[in-house]
Amino acid sequence: MCTALTFSNGDFYFGRNMDIVSSFGEQVVITPRRFPIQTKRLPMVDEHYAMIGMANVTNDTPLYAEAVNEKGLCMAGLFFPENASYQTDGQTNSKPLAPYELIPYLLGCCANVEEVKRIIPDISVIAVPFCEGLPLAPLHWIVADEMSCIVLESSNGMLSVYDNPYGVLTNNPPFPFHRENVRQYLHLSASSPENQFAENLALSPFGEGMGAIGLPGDSSPASRFVKALFCKCNSVCDQTENACVAQVFHMLDAVAMVRGCVRTKRKEFDLTTYSCCVNVSKGIYYYKTYENNQITAVSMASHLNETKLCTYALRTEQQIYWET
């Protein structure tokens, strides 16, 4: 369960809610240009574009949930259960990449979405776990730059590419459903509604926001997709860094999960463990956690040419400013 979205307002931004039952050992991780990218079946990539994002680091390998590279390309993997299917290892003639390898590989080699589109036909996603104890995650991916956005879905062993004019992605069903489902909400508006009920009745709104009655408010993937898109399309803010960062977090807050409101089949609770907003244009990663809603920022600008991973533990304890 997750929500991701893009936002352009002067600079280009990417935001994401991580909705999950518990932490996965995540931290902010910078992979510099000269840190080798290793994959299970392809040669090591010794030099590549630098990237920053949220990842679990196991055996000195960053397992990214989302990341952006120095060229302005961003990518996130979102939970896609019962729909994601990967090819069997050894049964493909294309470049085999495990699901957790796709983000660092594409961000390492590609500067924009068009370059991703060109190499995707030569790539297959294979069912190879990272190691024992870390099972394969069923995922689909949003990939975006300032000019365009696509969705990658590996179903029935095939990696499909969908143009995504909305710049939003959640979870199930597959993306073609979300693309069509939005059409059910053509009547919604951020403006105050006019009387269409009966011309001979003097009816008027009794409050603000009534133009969007019917906008979904539940936490299902289809509803989050529509609400996130509505917020994005009607978003208004200044073109300053602080205003844009705050605006992205407000959009993510609109579809965030409160602990206890989404109970899984295993009687666990999904919640938004962290939210991030990345200034993709400048390589600055902002985040806040469920326990600490003060925003923390990390920039990769000074780490581009290092040779080792640079990691930052999350600040998860609530920070409150006390007036004196």
Side-chain angles (χ1 to χ4, degrees), residues 1-2 16 19 77-82 137-140 170-172:
M1 304 286 280
C2 295
R16 189 254 180 81
D19 304 324
L78 285 76
F79 198 46
F80 196 45
E82 301 177 8
L139 301 173
H140 62 173
T170 56
N171 313 100
N172 293 339

Side-chain angles (χ1 to χ4, degrees), residues 39-59:
T39 66
K40 295 287 189 181
R41 301 291 181 262
L42 298 179
M44 182 182 298
V45 182
D46 292 320
E47 294 192 17
H48 50 79
Y49 298 129
M51 64 195 78
I52 184 172
M54 193 73 80
N56 168 286
V57 178
T58 299
N59 298 335

Side-chain angles (χ1 to χ4, degrees), residues 21-320:
V21 297
S22 62
S23 169
F24 56 94
E26 66 270 26
Q27 52 190 325
V28 180
V29 180
I30 299 170
T31 300
R33 295 167 180 163
R34 294 186 292 157
F35 180 83
I37 293 178
Q38 301 186 51
T39 66
K40 295 287 189 181
R41 301 291 181 262
L42 298 179
M44 182 182 298
V45 182
D46 292 320
E47 294 192 17
H48 50 79
Y49 298 129
M51 64 195 78
I52 184 172
M54 193 73 80
N56 168 286
V57 178
T58 299
N59 298 335
D60 205 31
T61 301
L63 306 176
Y64 279 109
E66 78 282 328
V68 306
N69 72 12
E70 60 181 290
K71 293 296 183 179
L73 182 67
C74 53
M75 185 171 178
L78 285 76
F79 198 46
F80 196 45
E82 301 177 8
N83 284 300
S85 65
Y86 309 129
Q87 290 195 24
T88 303
D89 188 23
Q91 294 186 350
T92 175
N93 294 321
S94 55
K95 292 181 178 179
L97 291 169
Y100 53 86
E101 297 172 340
L102 206 56
I103 290 178
Y105 187 85
L106 292 179
L107 294 187
C109 331
C110 301
N112 51 52
V113 169
E114 287 305 313
E115 291 186 11
V116 173
K117 284 183 173 180
R118 284 199 291 269
I119 70 171
I120 282 298
D122 297 326
I123 290 175
S124 59
V125 184
I126 57 172
V128 176
F130 180 73
C131 64
E132 187 176 350
L134 286 178
L136 283 173
L139 301 173
H140 62 173
W141 297 266
I142 181 171
V143 187
D145 58 29
E146 190 168 11
M147 303 303 297
S148 58
C149 179
I150 58 174
V151 172
L152 306 179
E153 293 184 344
S154 183
S155 300
N156 301 317
M158 300 296 294
L159 187 57
S160 299
V161 181
Y162 301 103
D163 287 325
N164 181 356
Y166 308 132
V168 171
L169 187 64
T170 56
N171 313 100
N172 293 339
F175 181 71
F177 168 88
H178 294 293
R179 187 174 55 199
E180 297 303 312
N181 184 52
V182 172
R183 297 167 66 187
Q184 296 190 85
Y185 301 93
L186 294 175
H187 60 287
L188 300 187
S189 171
S191 301
S192 186
E194 297 182 2
N195 177 21
Q196 303 290 334
F197 188 85
E199 292 183 359
N200 61 328
L201 296 178
L203 301 177
S204 61
F206 54 74
E208 300 298 338
M210 294 182 68
I213 288 179
L215 181 67
D218 62 87
S219 295
S220 68
S223 293
R224 284 184 284 110
F225 189 102
V226 173
K227 189 171 186 181
L229 180 58
F230 183 85
C231 291
K232 170 184 171 174
C233 290
N234 290 286
S235 171
V236 177
C237 76
D238 293 337
Q239 282 191 352
T240 64
E241 181 73 351
N242 286 351
C244 289
V245 170
Q247 191 77 345
V248 171
F249 278 116
H250 281 304
M251 288 188 279
L252 294 173
D253 286 343
V255 291
M257 293 186 184
V258 176
R259 182 187 280 118
C261 292
V262 180
R263 184 175 301 176
T264 71
K265 293 179 180 178
R266 300 176 62 179
K267 301 190 183 305
E268 298 174 311
F269 299 113
D270 270 340
L271 67 149
T272 302
T273 57
Y274 73 83
S275 301
C276 69
C277 165
V278 194
N279 183 320
V280 183
S281 304
K282 294 183 171 68
I284 303 173
Y285 188 98
Y286 302 88
Y287 75 87
K288 63 180 183 176
T289 69
Y290 192 86
E291 295 82 8
N292 178 21
N293 52 16
Q294 184 179 67
I295 297 170
T296 301
V298 181
S299 173
M300 72 169 168
S302 61
H303 302 283
L304 298 179
N305 292 309
E306 296 179 7
T307 57
K308 295 182 179 180
L309 293 177
C310 185
T311 63
Y312 296 85
L314 299 194
R315 298 176 181 268
T316 58
E317 185 175 344
Q318 185 66 279
Q319 297 176 331
I320 300 173

